[in-house]
């Protein structure tokens, strides 16, 4: 009897210890341009410093395919995992690409299709750049609209035509369809989301500072702008995500009926200060 009681006590302690561990979650860091004078740019040394920190801190960089496969299955990603995303298809992506390739790291590129592989847009990725990126097995290509216009979340007719053109252009440039889409400026509307889902986009990315876990909606996957994060601030963001997940795990679900559906805070967005593709999400 005494041995049985001791055994039960040991398992109880183990249970309490496991409950105290943070639930697993991932963080998506999104970048735009590299090594240029822009409010949306990050210097290459600062980018490398962030990557050095992730490696030393034990934050594994995983691909977007691995991330969405886990959350779509209702599972949590590896604890502390990070996904690297790059928006807008600026030509400076190629400088970041050399850094990421040297480190053998995966990343996803969200492309505004009117500007990608466009011979009249010298500051964006060319078709030759796209072909060079495609040779790297750890890059994933994703959609970021056709026009990257602030009208997309305001006009259903405009959005539907933009979705059609973007889908068509993506297939022309890349040769396949993508299931990933990031809202320009993080601006969302019900009609825009409906048009994207009907067109075949399965995973939609928004702006937000929440961690990504099994409870994340696949139509509102949050990403954090990382271009202005110092290493100390990045460390704080990752610690906060771990704390948020620990609190979520420790808080029991309320017994009361679920509240009526309301706006998802991860879908909130501010109007862009500059309607051009230079300062975008």
């Amino acid at each position: 009897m005494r041995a049985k009681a001791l055994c039960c006590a040991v398992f109880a302690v183990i249970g309490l210890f496991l409950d105290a561990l943070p639930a697993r979650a991932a963080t998506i860091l999104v970048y735009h341009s590299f090594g240029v004078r822009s409010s949306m740019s990050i210097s290459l040394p600062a980018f490398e410093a962030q990557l050095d920190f992730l490696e030393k801190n034990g934050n594994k960089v995983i691909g977007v395919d691995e991330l969405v496969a886990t959350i779509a299955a209702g599972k949590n990603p590896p604890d502390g995992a990070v996904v690297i995303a790059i928006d807008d298809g600026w030509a400076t992506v190629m400088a970041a690409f050399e850094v990421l390739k040297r480190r053998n790291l995966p990343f996803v590129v969200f492309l505004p299709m009117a500007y990608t592989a466009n011979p009249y847009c010298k500051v964006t990725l060319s078709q030759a750049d796209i072909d060079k990126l495609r040779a790297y097995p750890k890059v994933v290509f994703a959609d970021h609209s056709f026009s990257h216009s602030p009208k997309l979340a305001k006009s259903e007719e405009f959005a539907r035509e933009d979705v059609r053109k973007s889908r068509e252009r993506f297939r022309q440039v890349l040769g396949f369809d993508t299931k990933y889409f990031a809202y320009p400026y993080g601006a969302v509307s019900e009609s825009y989301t409906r048009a994207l889902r009907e067109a075949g986009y399965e995973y939609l990315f928004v702006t937000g500072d929440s961690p990504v876990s099994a409870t994340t909606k696949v139509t509102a996957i949050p990403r954090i702008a990382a271009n202005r994060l110092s290493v100390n601030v990045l460390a704080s963001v990752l610690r906060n995500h771990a704390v948020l997940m620990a609190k979520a795990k420790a808080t029991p679900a309320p017994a009361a009926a679920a509240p009526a559906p309301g706006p998802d805070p991860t879908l909130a967005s501010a109007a862009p200060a500059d309607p051009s593709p230079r300062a975008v999400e």
Side-chain angles (χ1 to χ4, degrees):
M1 291 295 292
R2 187 174 297 176
K4 182 178 180 180
L6 179 61
C7 183
C8 290
V10 169
F11 279 107
V13 171
I14 292 174
L16 289 172
F17 172 74
L18 291 176
D19 284 340
L21 292 176
R24 295 183 298 173
T27 300
I28 302 177
L29 300 176
V30 60
Y31 302 86
H32 295 83
S33 56
F34 300 83
V36 296
R37 297 186 66 178
S38 164
S39 62
M40 303 302 290
S41 183
I42 185 172
S43 71
L44 288 174
F47 182 52
E48 294 235 43
Q50 289 184 353
L51 297 178
D52 287 340
F53 169 77
L54 294 176
E55 181 179 358
K56 293 175 183 177
N57 198 49
N59 295 98
K60 182 182 179 183
V61 177
I62 65 173
V64 68
D65 289 337
E66 180 180 348
L67 177 69
V68 300
T70 56
I71 65 174
K75 300 178 181 178
N76 282 316
D79 187 24
V82 169
V83 171
I84 294 174
I86 306 175
D87 279 8
D88 304 337
W90 296 111
T92 60
V93 167
M94 300 308 291
F97 166 56
E98 294 301 326
V99 172
L100 294 165
K101 183 175 67 170
R102 171 164 43 83
R103 294 170 177 261
N104 197 32
L105 296 177
F107 63 102
V108 55
V109 182
F110 290 90
L111 301 170
M113 298 314 302
Y115 309 99
T116 300
N118 184 335
Y120 297 101
C121 294
K122 301 300 184 182
V123 295
T124 53
L125 293 171
S126 66
Q127 185 66 58
D129 291 331
I130 295 293
D131 293 340
K132 185 176 181 180
L133 289 171
R134 291 187 68 175
Y136 182 58
K138 292 191 174 185
V139 62
V140 171
F141 296 94
D143 204 335
H144 199 34
S145 83
F146 183 77
S147 65
H148 204 293
S149 169
K151 290 175 61 178
L152 288 166
K154 300 175 182 178
S155 168
E156 181 173 2
E157 182 180 358
F158 182 88
R160 285 191 174 277
E161 179 63 9
D162 192 273
V163 169
R164 182 193 67 77
K165 290 192 292 187
S166 190
R167 198 75 162 160
E168 182 179 288
R169 176 68 176 159
F170 192 97
R171 192 180 298 119
Q172 179 185 359
V173 173
L174 278 305
F176 56 88
D177 290 327
T178 178
K179 57 188 175 182
Y180 304 127
F181 184 91
Y183 291 96
Y185 309 109
V188 181
S189 71
E190 290 186 10
S191 61
Y192 192 15
T193 299
R194 185 165 53 249
L196 290 167
R197 296 287 280 174
E198 290 173 359
Y201 297 97
E202 300 175 47
Y203 302 97
L204 308 180
F205 295 80
V206 300
T207 56
D209 58 3
S210 303
V212 182
S213 70
T215 61
T216 299
K217 294 168 57 179
V218 296
T219 56
I221 304 173
R223 310 180 305 159
I224 297 174
N227 56 294
R228 293 186 178 181
L229 299 183
S230 67
V231 169
N232 287 338
V233 174
L234 175 59
S236 178
V237 167
L238 296 173
R239 283 197 303 270
N240 288 342
H241 278 190
V243 170
L244 284 172
M245 292 305 297
K247 288 182 178 179
K249 185 177 181 182
T251 304
D264 188 330
T266 63
L267 304 187
S269 60
D274 179 2
S276 75
R278 295 189 182 279
V280 297
E281 289 291 346

